[in-house]
Every structure is written in structure tokens, then in C-alpha cells.
Amino acid sequence: MSSRGLTCFLLIFALLGATGLFGQENELIKAEEHYWTHKDSSAYYFEIAFDLAKSKNDSINAFGILCEKVALFSYHRDRLQEKNELVRADSLLGVIAKSNDISAVGKYYKYYHWYNKGSYHYNLHDYVEARMYFLKLRNVIKEDTITNEDFSSFETVANSFIATMYSDELKYELAGQFYEHNLRLHKKYGHDDEAIYDTKNLIAALKAKQKRFKVSNSYARESIAWMLKFDVRDFENSFISTSILLINNYLALGQPDSATYYVDLIKKEFPDKHGFQVDLAISQAGIAKQKGEHDNALVNYRKALTYAEKNRVVDEIALVFQDIGELYYDMMEYDEALKNYQKAASYFKVDSHTHHEKAKASNRIAHFPILLGLSKIYGSQKSTRAWAEQIAIGQTAIMELLQLKSTFYDDTDKQVLVENVLPIFEKSIEACYQRYQRSGQRSYIDTAFVFFERSKGNILLDALHKNDATLFAGVPSKLLEQEKILKISIADKEREIQEGDSLTRTALFELKREHERLLSVLEKKHPSYFELKYDKTVTGLKGLQNTLAKQQTAISYFFGDEAVYAIRISNEDKALYKVPFSKKELSQIETFKRHLANPKSDIVALNKNSFGLYQKFVAPFLKGTHTEKLLIIPDGILQSLPFGALNTDVNTKSYLIQKYGIAYANSATLWSRLEGPKKGNPNYLAVAPSFKTDFLVNDIAFAPLPNASREVDALATYFEGTAVKDEAATINAFKQGMQSYSILHLATHARINDRFPEYSFLTFTPDTTTSGVLYINDLYALDVTADLVTLSACETGLGELQKGEGAISLARAFFYSGASSIVQTSWSINDGSTPEIMDAFYGQLSDGSAKDDALQHAKLVFLKKHDENRYSHPFYWSGFLLSGNTEPLVGSFDFAWHHYLFIGLSIVSVFLIFRRKDQSKVSNNS
């Protein structure tokens, strides 16, 4: 936003002239002269101008002058006077409304008043009220027939505030959408350079929050260079705030000298008082701290605290105490650090009974760094009391997270939120481990397990809860259909977007806003939908024990920054472990995965490497156990590790899969809620495009799949179903048929896009209506009811690894859409070996084996057959992983009915034979 947002005295003079009122021109000029430096003097002259307008019964212009007074007090952060003037403006607006004034001047001031009210609530961090006014403003302007630059400015300013609130709430994806939309609006309405650079400044601030400091600097430096061409005093707010952004960016990049340059620039251009004293003092303290000048840093923090307390802005005061606590922590003065962190925390005591406080999502988010600071202090103390405090902090973080999650619609933003809490969870898990080690109280394992679960699969779990909500909350089918259509439309628009396509991007932006409004209506008008969608329960350790099969052991991992923690769980036992790791071992994991995906890698070196990983991350947890099956709940870099390929013997080739059936889950909560077979007798839909020639997608060539047809034909040996192959294997054939089958088998190509996961895709045969490409966003919009989805395509389990969520993969998208279990792949699988493994897998499933047992059997049969040839390399067999529900597809009655029928008929036959003999004897005797 510009130095005073929408305030522009030349415009006001023009509007006053339009109503023939120039009597207060001198007073307005004097008010402008004192505006920046002498608040009371400026207010005095505004009040004289107001009285003159009132004396002439000109309520419209009197109202406009009150709007200017509100803006004045807002700039000087005098919230009490700002509120008083808003009340006066509200009262006068009521009078004007009765006169039904619809002139452009009246509209302008009404919109200006809404802007002021939104800005007031924004500055109080009351984002619920602020967002209401800004949304009201943008929606009215968007639909207004008057689209001149003056009115359109309200829309862009409202968008900027909405985006900035989203940014403060860690909703960076949403914020970026609004800022980019503003750039398109600036171009559409022909806004001046100042408006464009104001938006670019906000984008710079957003990039800084995303830790993209160099990108942020490029935006900010461009803006500063433009302002320096003019009198920078005309852009006071923009110039100082952008310079402070650059200061903080350079500090984050470890360049205090560059940061000092912009401090000097601010002091040179604005030597007198300005509205950024707190921010500037904090930045100067940061420079001193980075140079090791702790005393100087403390002086500047104290100066910032004085300014903040004078402004009476609670968030600013808390921030300064937090920074002072951080300084004392660096100085290893832990008692002083603790005092200041506690003072900061005291400003974020949220009253759970007060809706107003509950609504302040930004306050809850600002609380996280303070909680982390306290965690660092308690972690350094290593005492029973400190560990107890740390566990309590972790539980507070859980409560804050649960309250915030329901305000997030965008998954990318929700991931940012979760990542802010993970360091606190790690400190809390460490506290549980220390208490468990010293006291032997096994209840600490259960407490740690809760932190494990809260850190995993949050986004995927929310999606499954949403599916439950749509099914069981009694929401009218018309609304659910509308939401489904919007999801499909959004996916279609995202696929259509081309670089520079402004119209499509604008249409996509508005579709997403419509989707958000619909979701908000669903949640407000249907409380049961809200309760099911945001179900806050997680599976506890005891709950997992009750759902594990006999001879099954679960190992849940938490991959922290300092150590890996693991909890081993069986029906009757539990244990908590801590495994420190080094960068060397992280490199070892990456090397192992890279060599696994290469069939030409040295198998001896591969097995030696994997034995070291087995000893570190698996063997300690299985010592002394007697189990046949493993449920792996991985985390971090372990997410994409095929545990079955780990070698368990230093002297020979002995893989983990040869000892245990292995399944995977994103979390215990997700695993516990995934249903067993939902349909009766299992049947299949198998899709196998052949691509007789190279298939091109975005200039990427996909080779023919000669064995795909043989792979899907094998299913007919074991189950009833339908195979669509070659030219018939289209997206439409898949979508139209998938609801009717319990097994979906896709033998095709896949492509993973790590940089833009939403552009990962599966390939099908193109037809007249589709290109043959099914993107991951299209999968999210589907309703999948299958008990098993087999993705026999390359890299379907791979994708960008996100902390706590795992890979943003094609397999995950099927879980998101409702699948119960998935067989996925970890690399570019071999078209020759795959049919063999799939044939054995489905054969076992048809005999009633559990899915993990069936996949283990298929791999063991393959290994035994190819023990002496190149196919024994783990590349050919270990890339297939089973995630989700492991129950058999075929119940005991289904797979053995013919056996029991045969026995039954045999018994009946024997009975009839004996009966005939008895009847014969009776006949002979007679």
C-alpha cells in the first residue's frame, strides 16, 4: 500500500470542489502540513474543517473529513482516538444513509469508511472483523458498475490487506494468489507505478516469510530504486518498511554490513520521528547481535520496548520480549532468557471462552516462536521440572494447532503451519524420552506417541475426515454436488494455465474464492459437517495395540533435527528409543536409495551399505521380539525407504522382507481408520495403455509398454473384472468404471514433478476429449471407493517430501480420494519383472492372504526363482510397497467356500451311502 493507502488530498479537494465546498481548504492544507509529524495539530485543523462542513449542512464532506481523521490516528498508532473517530463516522454515516445519497462522492467515502474499519481491526489483529470489512469492500467494488481507477483502488487495497492477513496466518499460498491477482488488476485498470510497486513490496515481504530472501531482495531493491527517483518523503511508509525488510533479509543472509547500509539510508532520508521506531530499533539490535555486540543489542531492544509500550500494541511488546529472550539465550544467561520468554508468552494467554480472542489466529501463530524459545531454555536445563514444563509446552502447541487447522483451507498453507510446530514436538518427545529413561514410567511412551501422531499425516487425515463429513453430516446433496463441481473446475483451470494467461488466472482465482465461500457456508450452517471434518482425535498407543494383528509389530518414527526417535508397539509391549544420527548417515540413506534404483549398481556394496542402515534404524527395535509382520510408520527421509531391501546379515544376502511381511502407513491414526473390504466379492478394473509408439507429454517421450497387457491379463486368472487395454485404456474409461470395482490396477507410465507436485501425472491413451494425462489435482477431485489400488507405474510413491506428510505422490492422491490400500512404486520399475510379481501377488490375494503377506510371498517367490541371475538385484523386486489397510480382500468364507462345499458334499454322500446300505439291510431282513 502507498504511504497513506487511499488517502490523497488532491482527490479530496476535487471531491470537495464537486460539491461547491472550498471554505475549509486552508484548514485541510494545514492539516496536511502537520500530518506526518504533529498529530494533534493536524487533528485540530481537520476538526475546524469538519465544523465548517457541518455548518453548511454538508454531511458528505464532513463524513469524508472524519475518514481522514481516522487515517491520521491510524498512522500515528493512536488506537483510542482512532476508535473514537470511527464511532463518530459510523453515526454520521447512519444520517447519510437515510438521505439515500448515491453520488460518487458518497460512495467513495462509504468505501473509505469500510477501509478504515478494516484497517482498525487489522491493526488490533482482530482478523475476523478486518477480513469481513475488506471482503465486503472488494466484493461490492468488483460488482460495481463504476470501474474507474479511484474505485478500483479500493479493491486492490482490500486484496492487499486480505493477503497480508493470510500471510500473518502462515497462509502463504493464499496470500500469493491475492497479490498476483492485484498485479493483474493494476494492469487492467491502468494503475500508476506507485500502486504496482506497493504490491511488489508486499510480495517481497511474503517471499521473506517463505525464507526466499534473495528473491525478496530483488523485489525490494527495485522498489527502493524507483522511490529514490522522487522525493522519498512522499512514500514514507513504503520506503521505511521496505528498507527495514531489506535490513532483516540481509541479517538472515548473514550480511550485517549490507543491513547497516539501509539503516543509514532511513536515518538520512527521515531523520525526524516516524511510525516505524519499534521496527527500526529491533533491526538495529539485530545488527549489533550478529556482530557480537550484545550490550548494544540490548540497548536497542530496550528502546524498541519503550516505543512499543507507548504505542500500546500488545503484539509488538510480546515480540520485543521474545527477541530479548533470544539474545539472553545466545549469551547463555538462561534465567534472564526464561524471564523474557515468559513475559512474551503472558501476552498470548488465550481465553478459550472468549470468541474474540479465539478468533485471533495470528496471535496463536505468533505464540509458536515463543513456545519454541521456552523449549530451548527447558532443553538446556535438563531437570525433571524442566522436562515436565517442556511436555506441557508441547501439549499447549497441540491445542493451538488444533484451533488453527480449522481456519486453513489450502493444503500448502496447512503444511507451513504444521512445520512451525514440529520443532516444539521434537523438544517434547526428547523430554518424554528423558523422563522414561530416568523414571521407567511407561506412560511417557504413550505421551510421546501422541506427539508422534500429531506430527504425521495431518493434511491427508483432514481430507479423509472431510470425506466422512460429506457422507454422514446430512449436508444437502445439492451443496455437495456444487462443491464437487467447483473442485473439478479448479483442477481444469489449473491445467489450462499458460504463462501470461491473465484471463485464465483471474478465473481460477475467483473459482478458488467461490470454493472457500462454499466451504465456509457448509461449516457454519451444518455443525455436524464441521465436527466430522475437523475431528481432533488421534489413535492412542493403546488403540493401536488393539488393532495390530497377533505376531505384528509396529515401528513409528519421528525424524527430528537432532535425533531419530522410534516407538515399538505390539499387542502386549511398547518401548521408546532415541537414535542420534550424523550427516554421514543421512548421506548413507540417500546413497542406498540411489543405488537401489539403479539395476547396474554393485549389489555387494549395496547390501553392505544397507546392513549399516538396518543396524542403525531397525535392528535395535526388534531385538528380543518374536514377530512375523511389521507395520512401518516412517518419517522424514525414511519415508521413501524400502525397508524390505535392507540387508540383515553382514556376511551374506539376507533381506528384511525374507523375515517379515511389511506394510507402511502415514500414521497410526490413518492406518486405524482405513476400512477393510467395502465391497462383496472382489472384482477388478485393470487399465493398460500400450503406447505402440513413443507418447509425448510436454516434450517428454514415454516408451511403449509391451508387457502391460500381459500384466493385467493375469488378474483374470484370479478375479472377475474388466480389463481395458491399448486404445480403449482412456481416462474416461477409467473414471466411468472405477466406482464399480474393489480393485483398481493401473499398468501405465507416471511422471513425478518434484518442483511442482500438482503437475505430476499418470498417462492413458488419448482420445477425442482428453489428452491422456491425468494430473494429481484431477485425482484429488475423484471419489475412489476401491479396497486396493495398484499403481504399477514408475515412481508412483515418489514426490516432494514434506515434513510430517511424506511424499506428495500419486499414491497419496488416491488415499486422499478414498482408497483403503495402495501398492505403489519407488522408482522406474522394470516392465519385464513386474508381471511376474503381480501374478504371484494376486494369486495369493485370491487365496485369502492378507495384502502384506501376499506381497511378501510374491517377492520371495521372485527372489527364489532369480537367486542366481541379475533379477536378484533389489531394483527388480523391492520397489513395490504396500500402504494402508492390510486385511485380506477375500474373506475366509470366500476363498475356502469351494473347499467347505466339497467337504460338505462328501459328508452328505457318505451319509447317503450308509443310509442306502441300512435301507438295503432292512429290505433284506423283511
Side-chain angles (χ1 to χ4, degrees):
M1 280 160 279
S2 63
S3 59
R4 287 179 55 199
L6 295 173
T7 307
C8 176
F9 279 88
L10 291 175
L11 174 62
I12 289 173
F13 289 154
L15 292 170
L16 291 172
T19 58
L21 183 64
F22 269 101
Q24 67 270 44
E25 180 178 321
N26 289 334
E27 283 69 27
L28 289 175
I29 291 172
K30 290 176 182 178
E32 165 71 355
E33 289 173 353
H34 293 289
Y35 193 96
W36 308 112
T37 53
H38 300 95
K39 172 189 67 177
D40 294 337
S41 296
S42 183
Y44 171 78
Y45 288 111
F46 272 133
E47 193 62 26
I48 293 176
F50 172 80
D51 290 338
L52 282 171
K54 288 289 288 180
S55 69
K56 296 187 178 182
N57 294 319
D58 189 348
S59 297
I60 296 292
N61 283 296
F63 178 64
I65 293 165
L66 286 183
C67 290
E68 286 299 331
K69 282 192 74 178
V70 172
L72 169 72
F73 290 122
S74 177
Y75 171 76
H76 288 281
R77 304 188 186 190
D78 189 335
R79 302 301 171 216
L80 184 60
Q81 289 297 333
E82 183 181 2
K83 181 180 180 181
N84 291 339
E85 297 303 327
L86 279 172
V87 171
R88 291 177 71 191
D90 268 333
S91 177
L92 189 53
L93 181 60
V95 174
I96 295 170
K98 291 178 182 177
S99 67
N100 294 317
D101 187 293
I102 55 172
S103 67
V105 177
K107 273 189 179 182
Y108 176 86
Y109 284 140
K110 182 173 72 172
Y111 297 160
Y112 193 5
H113 182 57
W114 289 352
Y115 158 80
N116 278 339
K117 294 192 81 169
S119 176
Y120 171 73
H121 288 291
Y122 168 81
N123 288 322
L124 291 180
H125 287 260
D126 184 358
Y127 286 179
V128 171
E129 286 294 313
R131 204 165 358 242
M132 180 188 74
Y133 283 109
F134 287 124
L135 284 171
K136 181 180 179 180
L137 184 57
R138 80 171 293 272
N139 290 336
V140 168
I141 296 298
K142 191 161 64 74
E143 295 168 6
D144 201 307
T145 54
I146 302 174
T147 56
N148 58 59
E149 183 180 344
D150 302 329
F151 279 72
S152 66
S153 294
F154 281 109
E155 182 182 355
T156 55
V157 170
N159 284 339
S160 292
F161 270 102
I162 292 166
T164 303
M165 286 186 279
Y166 281 141
S167 178
D168 289 348
E169 295 170 348
L170 304 185
K171 298 170 184 173
Y172 300 147
E173 183 68 21
L174 277 174
Q177 291 171 17
F178 273 87
Y179 290 143
E180 293 297 331
H181 185 58
N182 263 4
L183 290 178
R184 292 191 293 272
L185 290 178
H186 294 324
K187 185 176 181 180
K188 175 182 176 181
Y189 292 120
H191 290 171
D192 61 18
D193 287 345
E194 182 179 0
I196 294 168
Y197 279 110
D198 284 342
T199 298
K200 287 186 175 182
N201 288 343
L202 292 169
I203 293 173
L206 176 64
K207 299 300 180 186
K209 287 185 177 182
Q210 294 172 306
K211 301 189 186 306
R212 299 176 63 187
F213 301 113
K214 291 182 179 179
V215 176
S216 175
N217 282 352
S218 66
Y219 278 101
R221 285 197 303 263
E222 180 187 356
S223 178
I224 291 290
W226 178 81
M227 285 185 274
L228 285 170
K229 294 177 182 177
F230 309 96
D231 184 349
V232 295
R233 287 171 295 181
D234 292 337
F235 315 105
E236 179 173 335
N237 281 12
S238 292
F239 187 86
I240 299 176
S241 62
T242 305
S243 296
I244 289 173
L245 175 66
L246 283 163
I247 294 167
N248 294 332
N249 284 353
Y250 281 118
L251 287 176
L253 293 168
Q255 300 174 28
D257 291 339
S258 296
T260 301
Y261 169 81
Y262 287 97
V263 170
D264 294 339
L265 187 61
I266 293 172
K267 290 180 176 180
K268 174 188 172 186
E269 300 293 344
F270 297 94
D272 300 322
K273 182 181 176 182
H274 53 74
F276 292 87
Q277 302 289 356
V278 175
D279 308 88
L280 185 59
I282 290 174
S283 296
Q284 288 178 279
I287 293 171
K289 177 183 169 184
Q290 198 162 102
K291 291 181 175 181
E293 300 168 0
H294 292 151
D295 291 341
N296 189 17
L298 194 56
V299 167
N300 279 288
Y301 281 135
R302 296 293 184 198
K303 188 187 297 183
L305 188 59
T306 300
Y307 289 131
E309 288 173 338
K310 183 179 179 181
N311 293 336
R312 292 176 290 183
V313 180
V314 169
D315 291 3
E316 286 184 349
I317 298 169
L319 176 63
V320 179
F321 277 125
Q322 176 192 329
D323 287 339
I324 294 172
E326 185 73 28
L327 176 65
Y328 277 121
Y329 179 82
D330 290 346
M331 296 166 65
M332 293 188 290
E333 294 185 26
Y334 298 129
D335 289 342
E336 285 298 319
L338 182 59
K339 287 178 187 176
N340 282 279
Y341 275 125
Q342 288 172 334
K343 286 178 182 177
S346 69
Y347 286 92
F348 291 97
K349 296 292 184 186
V350 180
D351 181 359
S352 61
H353 302 291
T354 306
H355 175 77
H356 179 71
E357 287 295 327
K358 194 174 180 180
K360 294 185 179 180
S362 60
N363 278 8
R364 293 184 182 279
I365 287 163
H367 200 184
F368 289 146
I370 296 170
L371 293 177
L372 181 58
L374 287 168
S375 296
K376 288 159 61 177
I377 300 294
Y378 291 130
S380 68
Q381 291 179 341
K382 302 186 188 307
S383 67
T384 299
R385 178 182 171 279
W387 290 319
E389 292 282 2
Q390 178 54 53
I391 293 170
I393 285 172
Q395 290 164 339
T396 298
I398 288 174
M399 289 189 291
E400 300 282 31
L401 175 64
L402 293 178
Q403 289 290 347
L404 283 165
K405 275 207 306 178
S406 62
T407 70
F408 281 66
Y409 292 129
D410 186 272
D411 287 349
T412 304
D413 292 334
K414 198 177 291 184
Q415 178 62 23
V416 174
L417 170 67
V418 173
E419 288 181 3
N420 271 265
V421 189
L422 292 181
I424 300 171
F425 286 174
E426 181 176 358
K427 299 289 185 183
S428 300
I429 291 167
E430 169 66 14
C432 290
Y433 175 77
Q434 294 297 340
R435 292 297 295 127
Y436 169 58
Q437 288 293 307
R438 284 161 174 75
S439 69
Q441 293 181 31
R442 294 161 69 80
S443 61
Y444 286 108
I445 304 175
D446 296 70
T447 304
F449 188 74
V450 173
F451 291 119
F452 274 52
E453 283 298 295
R454 292 297 183 189
S455 72
K456 297 173 188 282
N458 282 279
I459 297 171
L460 184 53
L461 185 61
D462 285 351
L464 299 182
H465 284 324
K466 183 186 173 187
N467 290 344
D468 288 346
T470 57
L471 289 172
F472 305 118
V475 178
S477 57
K478 184 180 179 181
L479 281 178
L480 295 178
E481 184 65 21
Q482 187 180 348
E483 203 250 339
K484 184 176 180 180
I485 290 170
L486 278 170
K487 283 170 63 178
I488 292 170
S489 300
I490 287 169
D492 289 343
K493 284 292 178 209
E494 285 178 332
R495 199 168 50 249
E496 290 173 17
I497 283 178
Q498 301 294 326
E499 192 65 35
D501 185 355
S502 179
L503 288 176
T504 304
R505 290 180 187 276
T506 299
L508 175 61
F509 175 83
E510 296 300 344
L511 276 172
K512 287 184 174 181
R513 304 294 76 76
E514 186 179 349
H515 188 225
E516 287 166 15
R517 286 192 292 272
L518 179 60
L519 290 176
S520 179
V521 169
L522 282 172
E523 292 171 7
K524 287 176 181 176
K525 292 191 175 181
H526 301 277
S528 56
Y529 175 90
F530 182 89
E531 289 168 11
L532 283 170
K533 182 178 177 182
Y534 299 110
D535 183 355
K536 296 176 182 178
T537 58
V538 294
T539 297
L541 195 148
K542 186 65 178 175
L544 178 58
Q545 286 181 311
N546 292 336
T547 56
L548 289 171
K550 289 184 178 180
Q551 301 300 312
Q552 184 177 30
T553 296
I555 304 175
S556 182
Y557 293 88
F558 182 95
F559 208 103
D561 292 330
E562 299 174 8
V564 175
Y565 299 87
I567 299 178
R568 186 195 70 225
I569 308 117
S570 63
N571 294 132
E572 305 295 335
D573 194 24
K574 58 189 176 185
L576 173 60
Y577 303 87
K578 176 183 178 181
V579 181
F581 63 86
S582 63
K583 289 184 179 179
K584 177 183 176 183
E585 282 149 344
L586 293 180
S587 175
Q588 220 177 332
I589 294 172
E590 293 293 354
T591 300
F592 173 60
K593 290 193 292 187
R594 190 168 61 253
H595 288 174
L596 266 182
N598 178 9
K600 296 181 180 179
S601 64
D602 184 344
I603 194 169
V604 175
L606 177 66
N607 289 338
K608 182 180 178 182
N609 184 11
S610 75
F611 177 70
L613 297 176
Y614 166 74
Q615 282 189 307
K616 186 83 173 180
F617 297 113
V618 179
F621 320 140
L622 295 178
K623 190 176 181 180
T625 63
H626 302 282
T627 190
E628 297 174 358
K629 295 153 68 90
L630 295 178
L631 174 66
I632 302 294
I633 307 174
D635 190 37
I637 198 172
L638 300 178
Q639 288 276 4
S640 56
L641 186 72
F643 280 71
L646 293 175
N647 193 26
T648 64
D649 194 316
V650 68
N651 297 314
T652 186
K653 186 169 61 177
S654 176
Y655 298 111
L656 195 66
I657 194 65
Q658 293 173 304
K659 295 185 176 184
Y660 309 102
I662 301 174
Y664 300 83
N666 293 71
S667 72
T669 305
L670 282 163
W671 187 75
S672 298
R673 76 174 306 286
L674 290 171
E675 298 178 18
K678 298 186 283 286
K679 302 181 186 295
N681 293 329
N683 58 353
Y684 70 88
L685 172 65
V687 182
S690 60
F691 307 123
K692 293 174 183 176
T693 60
D694 279 358
F695 179 51
L696 285 174
V697 180
N698 300 332
D699 296 326
I700 302 168
F702 293 92
L705 294 170
N707 290 309
S709 181
R710 178 165 68 92
E711 183 181 326
V712 300
D713 286 341
L715 278 130
T717 308
Y718 308 109
F719 301 104
E720 294 182 354
T722 302
V724 288
K725 300 183 291 185
D726 303 329
E727 298 304 312
T730 65
I731 289 176
N732 287 330
F734 169 65
K735 285 184 176 180
Q736 291 166 9
M738 67 178 188
Q739 292 284 333
S740 305
Y741 298 92
S742 57
I743 302 171
L744 300 178
H745 184 103
L746 302 176
T748 184
H749 284 299
R751 183 74 176 182
I752 301 303
N753 189 325
D754 279 333
R755 187 178 178 193
F756 302 106
E758 64 272 23
Y759 294 121
S760 300
F761 58 82
L762 288 164
T763 58
F764 294 79
T765 302
D767 60 13
T768 56
T769 60
T770 69
S771 64
V773 176
L774 189 66
Y775 287 97
I776 201 167
N777 281 353
D778 298 315
L779 293 174
Y780 288 142
L782 299 179
D783 292 320
V784 178
T785 60
D787 298 319
L788 172 66
V789 177
T790 299
L791 299 175
S792 182
C794 301
E795 303 176 340
T796 52
L798 293 184
E800 179 192 12
L801 275 179
Q802 291 187 348
K803 280 189 173 182
E805 284 298 316
I808 307 303
S809 64
L810 291 160
R812 182 179 179 277
F814 275 98
F815 272 131
Y816 197 105
S817 301
S820 292
S821 57
I822 296 172
V823 172
Q824 62 199 47
T825 56
S826 297
W827 47 75
S828 299
I829 56 173
N830 181 264
D831 187 42
S833 61
T834 298
E836 201 172 323
I837 293 173
M838 288 294 103
D839 181 71
F841 173 59
Y842 285 117
Q844 285 297 113
L845 285 178
S846 70
D847 284 341
S849 293
K851 300 184 195 86
D852 50 348
D853 293 333
L855 190 56
Q856 180 195 25
H857 173 83
K859 291 178 179 180
L860 294 184
V861 168
F862 185 86
L863 269 171
K864 184 175 180 180
K865 179 179 177 181
H866 298 287
D867 187 49
E868 299 300 326
N869 63 37
R870 68 187 180 96
Y871 288 110
S872 65
H873 192 291
F875 166 82
Y876 292 99
W877 55 266
S878 69
F880 291 97
L881 307 178
L882 172 72
S883 297
N885 185 280
T886 59
E887 292 178 33
L889 285 178
V890 179
S892 57
F893 175 81
D894 297 321
F895 83 83
W897 69 269
H898 57 281
H899 178 64
Y900 294 133
L901 181 60
F902 173 77
I903 293 173
L905 290 173
S906 298
I907 292 171
V908 171
S909 298
V910 170
F911 172 76
L912 291 174
I913 290 169
F914 277 106
R915 185 176 180 184
R916 284 197 209 100
K917 286 183 178 179
D918 289 342
Q919 288 175 342
S920 177
K921 288 179 182 179
V922 171
S923 177
N924 290 336
N925 289 337
S926 63

